[in-house]
Amino acid sequence: MRLKIRTLSTFALVALTISLFSLTQSASAVSDCQKVHGNLSGGGGSGTITQGGILNGTTQAVFTSMFTPTPDATTFSFTDDLTITTGVRPRGVLKTHNVGIFDVARGVFSAINRIDPNTSTGQFVGATGVLYVNGKTPDGGATIQAEITGEVCFAN
């Protein structure tokens, strides 16, 4: 009787291990995330992404807060929404909500852009992920040059 219980217990443990391992593989297999890297140039809230693959297209930033002072006298924080309208097929509009910092003395800025899966369209419907924008401006924001990197995870 003990041998029978031990055999059933071993079989149950093996079956559980195999099923958990299969679930782990399935979860990673359905993940459709793509690394992105490109160049953003423009000014006055609008711009163009080039060499960015699926992100190639035009951009429009709308500030959602005023510049807020930080403990560093020349650095300010801000929030904005970024809309990227791609020209790559299939086309789509990727929308992000962003938190950034801008060092006016050095003319450099950085932002964390969280993708909004509910307002993006086309190929980006339901997409999630984070983009990072790091750049500089020689003239207080009238013109910018930046690098955009991150990851876009597409919905199934």
Side-chain angles (χ1 to χ4, degrees), residues 10-156:
T10 302
F11 177 74
L13 182 60
V14 168
L16 180 62
T17 302
I18 290 171
S19 66
L20 288 176
F21 185 59
S22 296
L23 287 175
T24 303
Q25 287 179 338
S26 296
S28 64
V30 297
S31 175
D32 189 12
C33 296
Q34 184 173 344
K35 299 275 187 204
V36 292
H37 182 266
N39 298 314
L40 170 61
S41 60
S46 62
T48 303
I49 297 176
T50 58
Q51 299 176 336
I54 62 169
L55 296 183
N56 283 347
T58 60
T59 65
Q60 185 66 48
V62 176
F63 287 92
T64 56
S65 75
M66 301 297 289
F67 277 15
T68 304
T70 69
D72 182 323
T74 65
T75 304
F76 297 85
S77 66
F78 62 92
T79 60
D80 71 320
D81 291 336
L82 181 68
T83 300
I84 302 170
T85 304
T86 65
V88 178
R89 294 184 192 269
R91 299 174 195 272
V93 175
L94 183 67
K95 295 196 175 199
T96 68
H97 304 293
N98 318 320
V99 176
I101 56 171
F102 178 41
D103 181 336
V104 295
R106 291 170 185 81
V108 296
F109 60 92
S110 186
I112 299 170
N113 302 31
R114 295 160 302 198
I115 297 171
D116 186 338
N118 300 314
T119 58
S120 297
T121 67
Q123 68 175 327
F124 301 110
V125 168
T128 58
V130 177
L131 303 176
Y132 305 95
V133 177
N134 297 293
K136 60 184 176 179
T137 176
D139 49 20
T143 60
I144 64 162
Q145 293 294 319
E147 175 183 63
I148 186 165
T149 61
E151 183 175 68
V152 177
C153 297
F154 295 93
N156 292 328

